[in-house]
Amino acid sequence: MQRIRFPVMEVKEAYDVEHMRSTQSIQHELWPLDEIDPKKAKFPCCLVWTPLPIVSWLAPFIGHVGICREDGAILDFAGSNFVNADNFAFGAVARYLQLDRTQCCFAANLGGHTCKSGYKHAEFGTAITWDDALQSSSRYFEHKTYNLFTCNCHSFVANCLNRLFYGGSMSWNMINVAGLVLLKGQWVDAMSVLRSFLPFLLVLSLGVFMVGWPFLVALLSFSLLLVVWFLLANYCFKTLLEC
């Protein structure tokens, strides 16, 4: 029985055509984004951060975070059963970080996964576009109770990034979301830096002036307790988290 052989060139041409179609499809979905425009509060595909009243005055590394659609509109988990759209809950954006959509896994079905954890990703929930992922996470959090310590705005952003399989990971949580924004994010302007740290410096100065060094020790202890709680809750006792 004679074996059938396919010419190498024909196989290569067929592969090139299929690869080109696939690439064109991906490029069609990832259309060019508009420019970032802080004055209009438009931050396409960005993580955004702003200080929280009172809480950030005591611990300036803690703030309110959101994630933006492809059109630049901000989405943030602002309260129980409520995801805010295009109206950042606690004031203007102070820091932002634009994310790369090519680091996401957009899969219409299980066979369309480009990530290494197709089954796990499919079980968690996938998306075919950036905005589709954000919409799915928004619907999910519209049935969640807000809690600063167990289910907050960082939880919402982490859910979005896990649904996107951003950076080849499904391990996004409050800690690494906060770290990503604080370590890699850039300030909108000098005024953003001022309104992020000035209240803390005023509280610190006033406290030390009126109470003395015990106030500084108490403030540092408060910050340390917050850090320890979030580290333990996110990495050791995940069942404590309600999201």
Side-chain angles (χ1 to χ4, degrees):
M1 185 178 198
Q2 188 175 5
R3 294 182 178 178
I4 300 175
R5 293 185 177 181
F6 295 96
V8 176
M9 289 300 297
E10 291 183 8
V11 174
K12 185 177 184 303
E13 288 175 1
Y15 170 80
D16 289 341
V17 170
E18 185 63 30
H19 179 70
M20 182 176 65
R21 288 176 180 173
S22 176
T23 303
Q24 288 175 345
S25 175
I26 293 173
Q27 290 176 343
H28 175 71
E29 293 177 3
L30 303 182
W31 58 79
L33 300 174
D34 293 333
E35 294 292 328
I36 293 173
D37 189 349
K39 292 182 179 179
K40 295 182 179 179
K42 297 298 182 184
F43 298 84
C45 296
C46 288
L47 300 186
V48 292
W49 181 94
T50 195
L52 280 169
I54 302 177
V55 178
S56 297
W57 301 352
L58 303 176
F61 56 88
I62 293 181
H64 185 65
V65 69
I67 188 169
C68 304
R69 298 191 309 233
E70 289 175 307
D71 64 359
I74 302 172
L75 301 180
D76 59 305
F77 184 44
S80 297
N81 310 314
F82 178 62
V83 176
N84 212 7
D86 206 18
N87 186 22
F88 209 23
F90 295 97
V93 172
R95 304 187 78 166
Y96 67 92
L97 173 67
Q98 190 166 49
L99 302 182
D100 182 4
R101 290 174 296 170
T102 61
Q103 294 191 39
C104 303
C105 174
F106 300 121
N109 51 60
L110 189 59
H113 279 270
T114 58
C115 58
K116 59 185 178 182
S117 304
Y119 287 100
K120 183 180 178 181
H121 189 196
E123 184 179 6
F124 181 85
T126 61
I128 57 175
T129 65
W130 177 278
D131 286 353
D132 181 43
L134 271 57
Q135 184 179 17
S136 298
S137 292
S138 296
R139 287 197 297 264
Y140 177 74
F141 272 79
E142 285 173 354
H143 304 282
K144 291 293 181 180
T145 301
Y146 186 94
N147 187 301
L148 179 64
F149 300 102
T150 59
C151 187
N152 56 37
C153 55
H154 290 74
S155 308
F156 169 67
V157 172
N159 187 276
C160 291
L161 295 181
N162 286 328
R163 201 176 296 273
L164 289 164
F165 206 86
Y166 186 75
S169 173
M170 281 188 63
S171 301
W172 293 100
N173 54 39
M174 299 180 196
I175 298 296
N176 49 29
V177 165
L180 184 64
V181 177
L182 294 177
L183 296 177
K184 293 189 176 182
Q186 62 184 84
W187 296 101
V188 171
D189 51 29
M191 186 58 67
S192 299
V193 180
L194 191 63
R195 66 184 180 87
S196 296
F197 291 104
L198 183 59
F200 169 73
L201 294 176
L202 290 176
V203 170
L204 179 63
S205 301
L206 188 61
V208 171
F209 176 75
M210 296 182 64
V211 181
W213 293 110
F215 178 82
L216 180 60
V217 173
L219 195 61
L220 291 175
S221 300
F222 172 74
S223 297
L224 181 62
L225 285 174
L226 286 177
V227 171
V228 170
W229 160 255
F230 285 118
L231 284 173
L232 290 177
N234 282 275
Y235 293 106
C236 299
F237 306 106
K238 295 182 180 180
T239 54
L240 296 175
L241 302 181
E242 299 173 359
C243 292

